[in-house]
Amino acid sequence: MSDSGLLIRVCGKVQGVGFRPFIWQLADRLQLRGEVCNDSAGVEIRLLQPVNLELFIEQLQRDCPPLARIDSISFNPFDWQTLPQNFTIADSRHSRMDTQVVPDAATCPECLKDITRPGDRRFGYAFTNCTHCGPRFTLIRAMPYDRPSTSMAEFTLCPHCQQEYQNPADRRFHAQPVACPQCGPQVSATLQNGDMLAQGDAALEYAVAALRAGKIVAIKGLGGFHLACDATQQNAVMRLRERKQRPSKPLAVMLPDIGWLAECSDESPPFALREMLESPAAPIVLATKSAMSPLCAAIAPELDEVGLMLPFTPLHHLLMQAVDTPLVMTSGNANGCAPVLTNAAALLQLDGIADMWLLHNRDIVQRADDSLLRVTPHGTEMLRRARGYVPDAFTLPDGFDAQPSLLALGGDLKNTFCLVRGDQAILSAHFGSLTRSDIAGQQQQAIEHFQHLYDCMPLAVARDAHPAYISHVQAESHGVRMIDVLHHHAHITACLAEHHWPLDGSKVIGLALDGLGYGIADDKTGALWGGECLQVDYLHCEHLGGLPAVALPGGDRAAREPWRNLLAQWQAFVPDWQTRPEAKVLQAYPWLPLSRAITAGINAPLASSCGRLFDAVAAALGCTPAQLSWEGEAACRLEALAQRAQGISHPVTMPLRHTPSGTFLDLATFWQQWLGWNATPAARAFAFHDALAQGFAALACYHAVRTGTRTVALGGGVLHNRLLRQLLHHYLAPLRVLMPQNVPAGDGGLALGQAVIACARLQFSSGFNNKDSHD
């Protein structure tokens, strides 16, 4: 016997988020008959002749679980072979993967109550979770998302957990990581030699005692390890810096609870900041430091911001409640090494850094660093996109057809990759510098994992056009069509894609401001860009001007020693610099042989780098060390100095200079005015930021008028300078401004930009050549 029915397919983030029990409860409430199940394409709902379908769909969309997101709902007729007598949850069906993997989510309020309520069977249990929270992406081995396909497979459910797991009315129904102290993972306190000190509650007590005593504890989390110490003890923090060989790079701090926010930051009002800290993603959020903060000075030396986060797993909640003081939570790795992911690697690599290890016996399948963002007057600004956000997919803008599978490899620094399938682009978590073979190995393993997870083998690979990039060479191993993309074109198109700029949209003016990237000179040979004004769409990139090219004395060393860039700037634009009183800044360095090398063009390639201009100004003001210990150190210190004088009036400008090859900012005029102005270092630091913003805004507006364009899109790592970002917003007011928000402005967003450029080229080309040239 058969009868007609309706098959409803729901696509989006609908697995591992309590979607099926939600449907079951909704159908029961509306007295519907049928079934719901997961498959590799999402969730299927089969109903028998629904008479109140509109109400069902309305409540389905309105009341879906907090971690779920519905991207599409489709309807098809369906014939029942056996009529259902009620509504049930059926077993998962396996087919081609077409759903989304859910990011890890911070502990929900209900689970937090469970672990802090005496008498609850999960009281004090560090791996408590439900369908509204807990690990997802970091423990998934395959899809569909079922327990046997996760790192929880080895933990057999006890009768109590099994009952919760099978009860659709329970919030732990089919929560794949569900566990309790009787059947789930366990915490252990361990010494470097592997000797176990204790398990469970006693292990946590060991860690608390060590942290209170100023010790350093390695803690295994969701997608990696942290190195933790008391953030209020200067000696403890300096010991961590010395052991990790991290002399000044800022350290993230975990607060025991949201009540500590007002003590550690000056954000006013803190509502947006608090909202981000308490979100399911639970990222690190940059906040202005409070002068009365209990955090020691060594947390973020010479900077005016501090990265704050809240506990995001039950283990962190239990630890922070017991310690009741802010803790440093920095990445668990030795200097220059990839973050460790296994207990054995942690014991080996962190020897000599940690005093004890707080471990557990659940495997980390995928690395996911802490995400990092900032709350601005113009919305959030993502600096590092990882835990809590990855692998959320971006829908391709209007006009992009369903795409053949494609992989974009990103850049060599702050690396991420991007997988395109259908109409979605899936950006990976942050990896870091591929110049480290162990980091490159983690990236390659993750690419293979994504391809397996999404059942997606790329038919083309997009890569940075720089022939010396590791990621450029990596593309050769895939044996498919390769598409070369200019670095700064990708920066701007990443911003366009984030803002859903359509494929057939008009060209925009792009301002790409960063350290260095591969560009094209007038004679069509390679060039080093970093401060560019472009006219861009997804298919085209025309260079209009920007910063003039200046020597990089010593090549790569110029990125680590700011004084080299100051010498190059003055030698290019300040003919009498040696006679000026400011020349004493360079007297401590071997400037004369380097000056001769610049003149002779020996190991001094030309580059129009905005990042190196920041380094030069920081060196002139003496607010940077001679040798940088982390990327962006000079620029961050310069910005912190400038914030002290924000808004002052000044006589410094960067006027436009028109040439046959483009329109450029006049740095000779800038340096003459800046050096001739007698003001405090803070005022001069602000004047530089303000003049640079005015100069680039004038450049963008000039070309917008000339080309009839009304939109400017921005990209590049320099855009993470919040003062410059704010000033550019102000001076670009005559235009529509697209600024990166949910995708990093720096190299962490390159892969998305490469992906949409490659998709556009594939859509407008015919056939598959082995290699596409760059723009």
Side-chain angles (χ1 to χ4, degrees):
M1 178 181 179
S2 67
D3 207 338
S4 62
L6 184 67
L7 188 152
I8 304 172
R9 178 173 295 284
V10 185
C11 296
K13 288 200 303 184
V14 291
Q15 291 190 17
V17 293
F19 202 82
R20 289 178 300 166
F22 158 68
I23 295 297
W24 179 84
Q25 293 170 25
L26 176 59
D28 184 66
R29 189 163 62 246
L30 298 178
Q31 298 183 328
L32 301 178
R33 288 189 287 166
E35 65 180 21
V36 60
C37 70
N38 280 343
D39 72 359
S40 294
V43 165
E44 276 191 0
I45 306 166
R46 301 180 180 190
L47 297 176
L48 176 65
Q49 297 176 336
V51 294
N52 47 1
L53 179 63
E54 289 186 4
L55 181 61
F56 176 76
I57 297 300
E58 176 191 340
Q59 294 187 16
L60 184 154
Q61 294 176 312
R62 185 191 66 198
D63 301 329
C64 69
L67 297 183
R69 190 188 71 229
I70 298 172
D71 290 338
S72 66
I73 302 176
S74 60
F75 306 88
N76 287 290
F78 174 74
D79 289 334
W80 288 94
Q81 299 304 311
T82 302
L83 293 181
Q85 300 305 306
N86 50 27
F87 195 90
T88 60
I89 296 177
D91 292 337
S92 297
R93 297 185 175 90
H94 293 256
S95 61
R96 185 182 182 277
M97 162 67 181
D98 196 34
T99 190
Q100 294 186 28
V101 179
V102 180
D104 297 342
T107 307
C108 72
E110 291 304 312
C111 284
L112 186 57
K113 289 179 184 177
D114 291 344
I115 66 172
T116 55
R117 183 169 47 224
D120 192 288
R121 72 187 193 91
R122 289 188 173 86
F123 176 67
Y125 183 55
F127 301 92
T128 300
N129 68 89
C130 69
T131 53
H132 301 158
C133 68
R136 301 291 192 276
F137 169 65
T138 53
L139 54 69
I140 295 175
R141 300 190 192 277
M143 290 295 283
Y145 175 56
D146 289 322
R147 192 179 181 97
S149 298
T150 74
S151 57
M152 290 297 296
E154 64 187 84
F155 299 100
T156 303
L157 292 171
C158 69
H160 290 294
C161 287
Q162 185 73 34
Q163 184 178 12
E164 293 171 330
Y165 185 83
Q166 294 177 334
N167 180 6
D170 195 290
R171 77 174 198 276
R172 293 191 168 93
F173 175 79
H174 277 232
Q176 306 306 336
V178 67
C180 73
Q182 281 66 50
C183 64
Q186 297 294 324
V187 176
S188 61
T190 307
L191 296 176
Q192 192 280 330
N193 60 9
D195 289 347
M196 186 181 296
L197 298 172
Q199 283 188 295
D201 294 344
L204 206 65
E205 291 171 5
Y206 267 100
V208 170
L211 290 164
R212 286 176 174 166
K215 303 292 186 181
I216 298 165
V217 178
I219 302 170
K220 186 178 184 181
L222 280 179
F225 284 71
H226 284 120
L227 288 165
C229 70
D230 188 336
T232 67
Q233 294 188 35
Q234 180 84 357
N235 289 340
V237 176
M238 292 305 297
R239 189 180 305 113
L240 174 58
R241 287 194 175 281
E242 180 181 358
R243 292 182 183 180
K244 201 181 177 187
Q245 299 176 46
R246 185 172 174 163
S248 60
K249 189 174 183 179
L251 301 166
V253 172
M254 182 176 282
L255 305 178
D257 55 58
I258 198 65
W260 284 79
L261 178 60
E263 295 186 51
C264 297
S265 81
D266 270 343
E267 297 296 324
S268 181
F271 308 119
L273 178 61
R274 175 174 182 151
E275 183 179 17
M276 291 311 306
L277 286 168
E278 294 184 319
S279 71
I284 301 169
V285 184
L286 291 175
T288 303
K289 286 195 291 189
S290 168
M292 304 301 292
S293 172
L295 305 180
C296 70
I299 293 297
E302 305 299 326
L303 302 179
D304 60 349
E305 283 186 306
V306 61
L308 303 176
M309 63 196 303
L310 290 177
F312 56 88
T313 73
L315 176 60
H316 291 102
H317 277 288
L318 294 168
L319 180 69
M320 297 307 296
Q321 288 175 5
V323 175
D324 195 27
T325 194
L327 296 180
V328 167
M329 287 282 176
T330 190
S331 57
N333 62 300
N335 183 41
C337 296
V340 295
L341 300 179
T342 67
N343 292 354
L347 290 168
L348 181 64
Q349 188 187 125
L350 303 182
D351 181 24
I353 302 178
D355 296 304
M356 68 160 286
W357 284 252
L358 190 62
L359 305 177
H360 60 73
N361 57 338
R362 184 179 67 199
D363 289 343
I364 297 171
V365 176
Q366 273 300 297
R367 169 184 165 186
D369 297 6
D370 296 319
S371 293
L372 175 65
L373 58 79
R374 178 189 284 130
V375 178
T376 77
H378 302 282
T380 58
E381 174 196 349
M382 184 71 69
L383 286 87
R384 182 173 65 224
R385 186 175 179 272
R387 179 185 53 77
Y389 297 95
V390 173
D392 271 351
F394 295 91
T395 301
L396 295 178
D398 289 345
F400 283 89
D401 295 339
Q403 297 295 319
S405 301
L406 180 142
L407 173 67
L409 291 174
D412 279 11
L413 301 178
K414 299 181 176 65
N415 177 264
T416 63
F417 64 83
C418 184
L419 193 65
V420 175
R421 52 191 299 277
D423 66 346
Q424 294 187 329
I426 304 140
L427 192 62
S428 79
H430 164 92
F431 288 99
S433 174
L434 298 184
T435 58
R436 289 285 315 186
S437 60
D438 52 354
I439 293 176
Q442 287 186 350
Q443 179 235 30
Q444 288 298 299
Q445 182 274 331
I447 289 174
E448 294 174 5
H449 181 67
F450 267 57
Q451 291 174 170
H452 172 68
L453 200 61
Y454 291 95
D455 189 20
C456 178
M457 292 301 295
L459 300 178
V461 175
R463 62 182 183 177
D464 194 287
H466 198 309
Y469 267 19
I470 294 168
S471 53
H472 182 96
V473 177
Q474 277 180 345
E476 309 280 349
S477 65
H478 289 270
V480 296
R481 181 181 185 176
M482 290 171 291
I483 301 172
D484 291 349
V485 178
L486 290 180
H487 190 92
H488 298 89
H489 190 188
H491 272 314
I492 302 304
T493 55
C495 180
L496 292 180
E498 177 189 342
H499 289 277
H500 303 288
W501 193 260
L503 178 58
D504 62 356
S506 61
K507 292 182 179 180
V508 305
I509 300 299
L511 294 180
L513 313 179
D514 66 359
L516 283 178
Y518 193 80
I520 296 296
D522 290 342
D523 61 0
K524 304 304 179 184
T525 59
L528 296 176
W529 287 353
E532 315 309 318
C533 182
L534 311 167
Q535 188 178 27
V536 166
D537 62 15
Y538 292 112
L539 287 170
H540 307 98
C541 178
E542 179 186 356
H543 190 259
L544 304 176
L547 289 175
V550 178
L552 289 177
D556 290 344
R557 288 188 66 179
R560 301 188 296 272
E561 299 176 12
W563 69 271
R564 292 172 175 265
N565 301 292
L566 178 59
L567 174 64
Q569 287 283 329
W570 282 358
Q571 188 155 326
F573 302 115
V574 189
D576 63 341
W577 72 267
Q578 296 180 48
T579 66
R580 290 175 172 266
E582 292 87 356
K584 64 179 182 294
V585 174
L586 290 175
Q587 297 304 317
Y589 303 105
W591 65 269
L592 185 55
L594 204 61
S595 174
R596 292 170 179 160
I598 294 171
T599 302
I602 300 172
N603 194 22
L606 296 177
S608 50
S609 171
C610 193
R612 302 296 77 79
L613 177 59
F614 270 83
D615 290 349
V617 175
L621 289 174
C623 66
T624 176
Q627 178 128 358
L628 303 183
S629 63
W630 52 281
E631 185 187 6
E633 181 176 10
C636 289
R637 290 190 178 197
L638 181 65
E639 182 198 350
L641 182 63
Q643 292 283 6
R644 303 177 197 171
Q646 185 177 164
I648 56 97
S649 60
H650 61 86
V652 181
T653 64
M654 284 190 194
L656 302 185
R657 181 172 58 86
H658 303 283
T659 76
S661 58
T663 307
F664 297 89
L665 302 190
D666 186 350
L667 292 183
T669 296
F670 161 74
W671 282 111
Q672 181 182 4
Q673 293 175 345
W674 192 82
L675 289 170
W677 183 44
N678 185 20
T680 65
R684 296 173 82 185
F686 173 77
F688 162 68
H689 282 79
D690 194 54
L692 184 68
Q694 285 196 55
F696 269 114
L699 181 60
C701 290
Y702 167 77
H703 283 296
V705 171
R706 187 182 66 82
T707 60
T709 302
R710 298 303 306 161
T711 301
V712 58
L714 293 91
V718 172
L719 268 297
H720 289 312
N721 180 310
R722 70 193 187 283
L723 177 57
L724 182 66
R725 194 178 176 107
Q726 173 187 332
L727 291 168
L728 283 168
H729 261 294
H730 173 70
Y731 291 122
L732 287 168
L735 302 176
R736 179 187 178 191
V737 179
L738 304 181
M739 194 79 79
Q741 290 184 300
N742 299 315
V743 176
D747 285 7
L750 274 179
L752 177 61
Q754 292 171 351
V756 290
I757 289 171
C759 287
R761 291 193 201 165
L762 291 174
Q763 193 161 321
F764 282 92
S765 67
S766 58
F768 269 75
N769 301 317
N770 184 51
K771 180 176 178 180
D772 269 0
S773 63
H774 48 66
D775 312 62

